[in-house]
Structure formats: structure tokens, C-alpha cells
């Protein structure tokens, strides 16, 4: 079972989970060989220089694509333990990127892939993790956080930005509140409907309800149909049963 544990940093910006007990964390003093996959030489150079300034233990190699990385001499690249895949993520390209991650995992199982992109959608990130990625670094974080993420992945962890997890949790919470509010709004009854409901609970026929409430029998039938529709009930008996259950007791306004 996957467990989530906090990973303390100066900025409290990392989240680690699923630490492999068979691969204990390595010392950050050891050089970490990193391949940057990006077909933009300027971006590669800037990223490598920035990260190396923060962490001198990082050693970088540049490749324009996964294919170029595959074509490189294995003896020359076997020390590379981490791959930073800089991608322009989109719905149209998602399957292509996921296939590249899976290919890298299948051909070089000792390499840990980290995706660097500008998406912050938890579903896309989890798909990347499921396909073999060990982390996701959004372009919205600082170089310091990116460096800590690389160290974390190199130590055997998985990195997902807490901001993404928190936002996903908030979205889920907001969605539940919206559904609850809609349920309440859909099940608010008028004063006349409440009177009809009370009569239904006592098992009274439409004709008797019409007489006692001083309304036409046809009007009572309309109220009953509307009540059944709001409660998704199939008959009058089910209406009485549903309105006596806990979820609905507080939805009738007097």
C-alpha cells in the first residue's frame, strides 16, 4: 500500500512517498549523473547551469530526444541515474509522452525519469507516475525546489508538488459541497408540498388530501408528482419512506 510521508525542505515544497526499502537513500554528497532531454539547446544549457550552481554534485549530459539518448553509447551513459524530460504537455501529446516514459523504463530500468512541464493537473501527473516516471516538476517552482526534487528521486522517492495535491484535495472538497448544495436546492419543498407530504405520511388518499387542504384533486396529483420527482421516488409509499430517512429529514423547510 502506498503511503505518503513529508519530506522536509527549507521551503516545505516537496512531498515524498513510496520509498523503496531495497534502495535506501544515497548520500547527497555523491555525484548524480543527470541527462536532460530537450531539443532546445538554450533551455538545456540554462537549466543545467542553474541547477549546477545550486548543487555542484550534479553532472549533466544533454540529449535532444529519447531516441538520441537510446542511440548514445551504453558504456558512456550507464552512469546516468536520472533523466529530466522537458516536455510541452498537452492532451494531444499526452499519449506520446507517456509512451516515451514507458519506453525509458523498459529499456533502462535503473534510470529514474522526472517530467518537467507546465501542467499542474493531478490526473496527468499520476498517469506519468503509473507509466514509470518517478517525479514531476512544474515550471512554476524554483530551481531550489527542482534540485531538492532531483535529490529525492535519486534517493528512491517519488516527487509530486504539494501544491498540486492540495489543489486537487480542495477541488474535490468544493465539488462535494456543490453536489450537497444542489441536493439541498433540489429537495426544498413549498409550504403546500409539505402539507401534502404530511398527509402522504399518514396514508391519506388524494381526494381526502384535497378536501382537507381545500384544493382541487388534480392540484394534489401535481404536487404528488413533483414531490416524487424531487425525491426520485417510484410511488407514494416510497415518498413516505425516503422522507423519514436521515439524509432528507433536514431538507424540508417549514
Amino acid at each position: 500500500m502506498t503511503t505518503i510521508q513529508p519530506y522536509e525542505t527549507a521551503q516545505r515544497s516537496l512531498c515524498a512517498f513510496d520509498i523503496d526499502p531495497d534502495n535506501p537513500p544515497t548520500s547527497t554528497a555523491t555525484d548524480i549523473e543527470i541527462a536532460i532531454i530537450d531539443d532546445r539547446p538554450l533551455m538545456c544549457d540554462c537549466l543545467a547551469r542553474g541547477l549546477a550552481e545550486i548543487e555542484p554534485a550534479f553532472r549533466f549530459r544533454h540529449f535532444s530526444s529519447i531516441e538520441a539518448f537510446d542511440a548514445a553509447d551504453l558504456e558512456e551513459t550507464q552512469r546516468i541515474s536520472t533523466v529530466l524530460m522537458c516536455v510541452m504537455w498537452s492532451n494531444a501529446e499526452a499519449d506520446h509522452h507517456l509512451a516515451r516514459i514507458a519506453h525509458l523504463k523498459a529499456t533502462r530500468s535503473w534510470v529514474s525519469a522526472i517530467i518537467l512541464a507546465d501542467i499542474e493537473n493531478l490526473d496527468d501527473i499520476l498517469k506519468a507516475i503509473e507509466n514509470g516516471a518517478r517525479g514531476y516538476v512544474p515550471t512554476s517552482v524554483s530551481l531550489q525546489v527542482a534540485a531538492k526534487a532531483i535529490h529525492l528521486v535519486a534517493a528512491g522517492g517519488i516527487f509530486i508538488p504539494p501544491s498540486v495535491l492540495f489543489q486537487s484535495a480542495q477541488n474535490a472538497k468544493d465539488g462535494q459541497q456543490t453536489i450537497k448544495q444542489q441536493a439541498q436546492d433540489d429537495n426544498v419543498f413549498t409550504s403546500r408540498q409539505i402539507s401534502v407530504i404530511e398527509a402522504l405520511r399518514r396514508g391519506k388518499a388524494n381526494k381526502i388530501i384535497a378536501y382537507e387542504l381545500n384544493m382541487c384533486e388534480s392540484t394534489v396529483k401535481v404536487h404528488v408528482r413533483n414531490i416524487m420527482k424531487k425525491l426520485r421516488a417510484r410511488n407514494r409509499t416510497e415518498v413516505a419512506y425516503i422522507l423519514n430517512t436521515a439524509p432528507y429529514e433536514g431538507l424540508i423547510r417549514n
Side-chain angles (χ1 to χ4, degrees):
M1 179 178 179
T2 298
T3 57
I4 297 179
Q5 327 171 19
Y7 182 84
E8 296 296 328
T9 71
Q11 297 182 335
R12 302 183 65 83
S13 299
L14 300 182
C15 180
F17 65 95
D18 194 23
I19 299 298
D20 187 350
D22 297 325
N23 294 287
T26 58
S27 170
T28 57
T30 304
D31 288 350
I32 299 177
E33 300 284 341
I34 303 167
I36 299 179
I37 310 293
D38 197 327
D39 59 2
R40 301 165 296 176
L42 178 60
M43 297 301 293
C44 273
D45 192 49
C46 290
L47 179 59
R49 288 175 181 269
L51 289 170
E53 184 72 21
I54 294 170
E55 181 49 81
F58 290 164
R59 298 288 181 266
F60 292 98
R61 293 284 307 277
H62 301 167
F63 298 90
S64 61
S65 65
I66 288 292
E67 291 73 21
F69 183 60
D70 280 342
D73 183 71
L74 183 58
E75 185 175 341
E76 185 182 351
T77 60
Q78 64 181 355
R79 286 177 54 84
I80 291 175
S81 63
T82 306
V83 171
L84 283 179
M85 297 176 59
C86 305
V87 301
M88 300 294 291
W89 197 282
S90 66
N91 290 334
E93 294 291 324
D95 288 342
H96 172 66
H97 296 317
L98 293 174
R100 293 167 75 206
I101 297 167
H103 170 77
L104 183 62
K105 182 66 175 177
T107 56
R108 305 200 184 197
S109 59
W110 67 90
V111 170
S112 297
I114 300 175
I115 305 302
L116 194 153
D118 57 2
I119 60 165
E120 297 202 14
N121 182 293
L122 183 60
D123 289 338
D124 286 333
I125 294 169
L126 292 179
K127 286 179 183 178
I129 299 297
E130 290 170 0
N131 279 269
R134 299 291 295 178
Y136 169 73
V137 176
T139 55
S140 59
V141 302
S142 66
L143 281 171
Q144 287 84 355
V145 172
K148 291 292 186 181
I150 293 171
H151 272 302
L152 176 60
V153 170
I158 294 177
F159 173 80
I160 296 177
S163 59
V164 174
L165 298 175
F166 295 155
Q167 186 59 52
S168 178
Q170 185 60 50
N171 290 344
K173 181 179 179 181
D174 292 344
Q176 290 173 349
Q177 290 177 341
T178 299
I179 292 172
K180 182 178 180 181
Q181 184 61 49
Q182 288 175 344
Q184 290 177 337
D185 293 342
D186 289 343
N187 289 284
V188 172
F189 301 100
T190 65
S191 59
R192 297 299 277 172
Q193 287 174 335
I194 291 174
S195 299
V196 173
I197 286 170
E198 291 304 320
L200 290 174
R201 281 173 167 166
R202 293 192 293 271
K204 295 184 178 180
N206 288 349
K207 185 179 294 187
I208 302 301
I209 296 173
Y211 174 78
E212 291 183 349
L213 298 181
N214 193 27
M215 63 175 69
C216 298
E217 187 175 352
S218 60
T219 303
V220 173
K221 291 180 180 179
V222 171
H223 283 313
V224 171
R225 283 199 300 270
N226 289 337
I227 292 166
M228 290 173 60
K229 183 178 179 180
K230 285 185 177 182
L231 297 177
R232 297 179 177 85
R234 292 167 294 183
N235 51 54
R236 298 156 67 97
T237 302
E238 197 167 287
V239 168
Y241 172 78
I242 291 173
L243 288 169
N244 280 314
T245 59
Y248 289 92
E249 288 176 340
L251 295 178
I252 301 177
R253 290 181 182 170
N254 294 314

